[in-house]
């Protein structure tokens, strides 16, 4: 660890002292509290039965997501920074413990269905009677109202309902993998919780908040929605390269790697780009350059640049473009990002000692604070790993805890 990294880690975390209680499954909901854990919040995850089913979700589309301990890496993503308690809240004594935890909490988060919340007694009406200032955070598939409000959903369904699957401009729906909308929803939910915490501090009130996969997918497409509704334009532009300007396009290089550039306004960069490519003659040809000094989009022009880009490797082209102030960057596979110097120097990828995976690189927190630190603190808990610790914190002695274990209330 570098001295600057050590200095950053020694700084206080923004949400130290905030207590969050969670009764959720999979990622879109629990991912939000994991983010707040990155900011220092104390999070208690309640599980019962066989626990969060995400623990056992180890295969998707031929990918094996199992860690050495047999549990899914996705469960680790969703539940880092949390302490775990096994608690049967349907028993009288379990309900008593649950209400004690609610009384001490600033936030309660769940992503269970509306009817399930009512059945379990974890709905806002019930819990606000226990703690009137509780922030009751909900994550659903399609929102709190309407005919789909009590229907479960996973990431691909939110993509489908929102139009996100057509955002690439393809004729056939295209699914973004893996958990892209789930993670975006988790971010939106963490944003909502932070806002409600500020309201609680300023106005002294708790409240119920609600985020959905559907709402988040629409919010992600805010520009597209405006183009479609305000201007009646189909914003889902095809990715076919010949239909895009050379200044907003991707090219394959000599080493088989790809590079992409995006430049606006085009008249400012077109001549710089052509001279950097040693292709000044294009600037004088009306077939390729219009009277305003912009490129004429078309298959013939793209083919000319395709041939030119094959003369150098991707890194060699980057060395040409960067001194000219042209906005190009390499197109990376996600596995390459782990070793990207730009990610490493900014702490966007950081080393982490995981208890079953060992020393690995993980995503760092995406925000830099001058006076605070943020990031993953510890691995996801086993089922009931911190049951005794949590019960002792709220005043339960060893004999009483053992009795609760014998009765199956806790584990």
């Amino acid at each position: 660890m570098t001295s600057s990294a050590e200095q950053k880690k020694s700084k206080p975390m923004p949400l130290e002292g905030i207590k969050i209680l969670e009764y959720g499954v999979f990622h879109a909901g629990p991912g939000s509290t994991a983010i707040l854990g990155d900011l220092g919040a104390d999070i208690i995850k309640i599980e019962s039965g066989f626990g969060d089913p995400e623990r056992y979700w180890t295969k998707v589309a031929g990918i094996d997501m199992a860690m050495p301990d047999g549990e899914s890496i996705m469960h680790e993503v969703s539940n880092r920074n949390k302490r775990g308690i096994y608690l049967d809240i349907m028993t009288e004594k379990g309900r008593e413990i649950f209400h004690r935890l609610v009384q001490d909490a600033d936030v309660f988060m769940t992503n269970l269905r509306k009817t399930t919340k009512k059945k379990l007694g974890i709905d806002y009406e019930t819990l606000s009677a226990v703690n009137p200032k509780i922030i009751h955070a909900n994550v659903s598939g399609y929102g709190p109202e309407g005919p789909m409000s009590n229907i479960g959903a996973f990431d691909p369904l939110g993509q489908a309902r929102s139009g996100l699957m057509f955002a690439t401009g393809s004729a056939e729906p295209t699914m973004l993998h893996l958990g892209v909308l789930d993670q975006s929803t988790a971010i939106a939910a963490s944003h909502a919780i932070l806002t409600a915490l500020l309201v609680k501090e300023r106005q002294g009130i708790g409240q119920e908040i609600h985020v959905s996969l559907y709402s988040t997918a629409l919010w992600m497409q805010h520009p597209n929605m405006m183009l479609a509704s305000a201007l009646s334009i189909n914003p889902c532009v095809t990715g076919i390269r010949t239909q895009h300007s050379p200044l907003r396009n991707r090219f394959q290089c000599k080493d088989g790697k790809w590079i992409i550039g995006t430049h606006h306004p085009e008249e400012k960069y077109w001549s710089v780009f052509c001279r950097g490519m040693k292709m000044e003659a294009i600037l004088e040809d009306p077939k390729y350059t219009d009277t305003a000094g912009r490129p004429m989009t078309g298959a013939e022009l793209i083919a000319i640049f395709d041939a030119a880009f094959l003369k150098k490797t991707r890194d060699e082209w980057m060395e040409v473009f960067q001194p000219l102030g042209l906005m190009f960057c390499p197109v990376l596979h996600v596995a390459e990002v782990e070793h990207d110097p730009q990610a490493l120097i900014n702490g966007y990828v950081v080393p982490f000692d995981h208890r079953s995976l060992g020393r690995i690189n993980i995503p760092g927190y995406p925000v830099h604070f001058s006076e605070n630190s943020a990031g993953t603190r510890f691995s996801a808990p086993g089922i009931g790993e911190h049951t005794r610790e949590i019960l002792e914190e709220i005043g339960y002695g060893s004999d009483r805890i053992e009795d609760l274990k014998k009765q199956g209330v806790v584990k």
Side-chain angles (χ1 to χ4, degrees):
M1 185 181 292
T2 65
S3 58
S4 61
E6 290 172 347
Q7 184 180 19
K8 182 178 179 182
K9 196 171 182 179
S10 68
K11 294 178 180 178
M13 304 188 83
L15 296 186
E16 287 179 4
I18 296 296
K19 295 183 178 181
I20 300 175
L21 192 60
E22 173 193 308
Y23 202 113
V25 296
F26 288 100
H27 185 69
S32 69
T33 53
I35 292 169
L36 300 176
D38 287 336
L39 294 171
D42 178 18
I43 304 150
I44 296 174
K45 182 181 181 71
I46 299 173
E47 294 179 271
S48 59
F50 293 103
D52 186 339
E54 191 180 39
R55 289 183 181 274
Y56 317 109
W57 183 45
T58 57
K59 293 189 184 299
V60 62
I63 300 174
D64 185 353
M65 301 188 293
M67 297 189 295
D69 62 5
E71 292 195 349
S72 173
I73 189 72
M74 280 301 299
H75 179 264
E76 179 63 38
V77 172
S78 307
N79 294 286
R80 64 190 186 276
N81 304 317
K82 300 177 186 179
R83 296 189 292 162
I85 182 173
Y86 180 98
L87 181 64
D88 185 353
I89 65 171
M90 296 303 287
T91 65
E92 182 179 347
K93 291 182 179 179
R95 171 73 53 181
E96 178 185 335
I97 294 168
F98 176 56
H99 284 177
R100 289 276 294 275
L101 293 171
V102 171
Q103 287 169 353
D104 289 342
D106 296 291
V107 179
F108 176 78
M109 194 293 301
T110 184
N111 62 336
L112 302 187
R113 301 185 194 194
K114 188 185 297 186
T115 51
T116 305
K117 286 184 285 191
K118 196 73 175 175
K119 178 183 175 182
L120 293 176
I122 61 173
D123 55 295
Y124 178 60
E125 183 180 2
T126 301
L127 297 190
S128 62
V130 177
N131 179 353
K133 291 188 177 182
I134 195 77
I135 294 166
H136 192 278
N138 300 263
V139 176
S140 71
Y142 305 102
E145 307 296 338
M148 301 187 76
S149 62
N150 197 41
I151 297 176
F154 286 96
D155 178 302
L157 303 178
Q159 291 187 41
R161 184 80 180 191
S162 66
L164 189 57
M165 283 189 177
F166 287 111
T168 61
S170 59
E172 183 178 328
T174 302
M175 193 187 309
L176 298 175
H177 290 284
L178 179 68
V180 174
L181 180 54
D182 272 345
Q183 177 67 3
S184 298
T185 303
I187 294 168
S190 69
H191 166 88
I193 292 169
L194 289 170
T195 303
L197 283 168
L198 179 61
V199 171
K200 180 180 178 180
E201 179 188 320
R202 295 289 181 86
Q203 301 177 21
I205 59 171
Q207 62 184 302
E208 183 178 25
I209 57 178
H210 199 117
V211 175
S212 70
L213 293 169
Y214 189 32
S215 69
T216 303
L218 294 177
W219 201 28
M220 288 170 65
Q221 300 176 92
H222 195 286
N224 284 7
M225 291 286 292
M226 290 299 291
L227 283 167
S229 63
L231 300 180
S232 300
I233 293 172
N234 177 7
C236 301
V237 180
T238 176
I240 297 172
R241 295 172 53 247
T242 55
Q243 296 184 22
H244 292 266
S245 163
L247 288 176
R248 187 184 173 90
N249 220 315
R250 61 198 185 278
F251 299 94
Q252 193 168 29
C253 304
K254 183 179 180 179
D255 52 3
K257 297 179 179 179
W258 290 81
I259 194 169
I260 189 169
T262 304
H263 302 83
H264 302 287
E266 292 192 332
E267 60 271 21
K268 177 180 177 180
Y269 296 98
W270 181 230
S271 62
V272 180
F273 173 58
C274 289
R275 292 189 175 97
M277 296 287 296
K278 306 297 184 186
M279 299 171 70
E280 294 91 336
I282 285 177
L283 297 170
E284 308 303 325
D285 193 329
K287 286 197 304 181
Y288 305 129
T289 303
D290 68 16
T291 55
R294 296 182 297 248
M296 303 281 284
T297 300
E300 185 177 344
L301 184 56
I302 296 301
I304 292 171
F305 281 105
D306 278 343
F309 270 94
L310 292 173
K311 295 177 181 178
K312 295 180 186 290
T313 65
R314 183 181 69 189
D315 291 346
E316 287 171 342
W317 280 120
M318 287 298 297
E319 290 174 3
V320 170
F321 295 142
Q322 284 189 309
L324 297 174
L326 291 169
M327 290 172 280
F328 277 87
C329 82
V331 181
L332 302 180
H333 289 281
V334 68
E336 295 178 89
V337 176
E338 180 182 352
H339 307 290
D340 180 16
Q342 189 66 23
L344 295 172
I345 198 169
N346 282 290
Y348 299 154
V349 174
V350 296
F352 180 73
D353 291 316
H354 189 273
R355 61 182 177 185
S356 66
L357 295 171
R359 186 80 163 180
I360 58 173
N361 289 329
I362 64 171
Y365 197 74
V367 179
H368 289 176
F369 297 95
S370 66
E371 303 302 326
N372 293 108
S373 64
T376 300
R377 293 174 289 149
F378 46 87
S379 306
I383 297 177
E385 180 178 340
H386 303 95
T387 295
R388 177 175 292 275
E389 176 184 303
I390 293 166
L391 290 176
E392 287 176 347
E393 287 175 359
I394 59 174
Y396 284 75
S398 294
D399 291 343
R400 198 172 175 190
I401 293 171
E402 290 304 315
D403 286 341
L404 290 168
K405 285 184 176 181
K406 290 176 183 177
Q407 296 170 47
V409 177
V410 301
K411 288 184 183 178

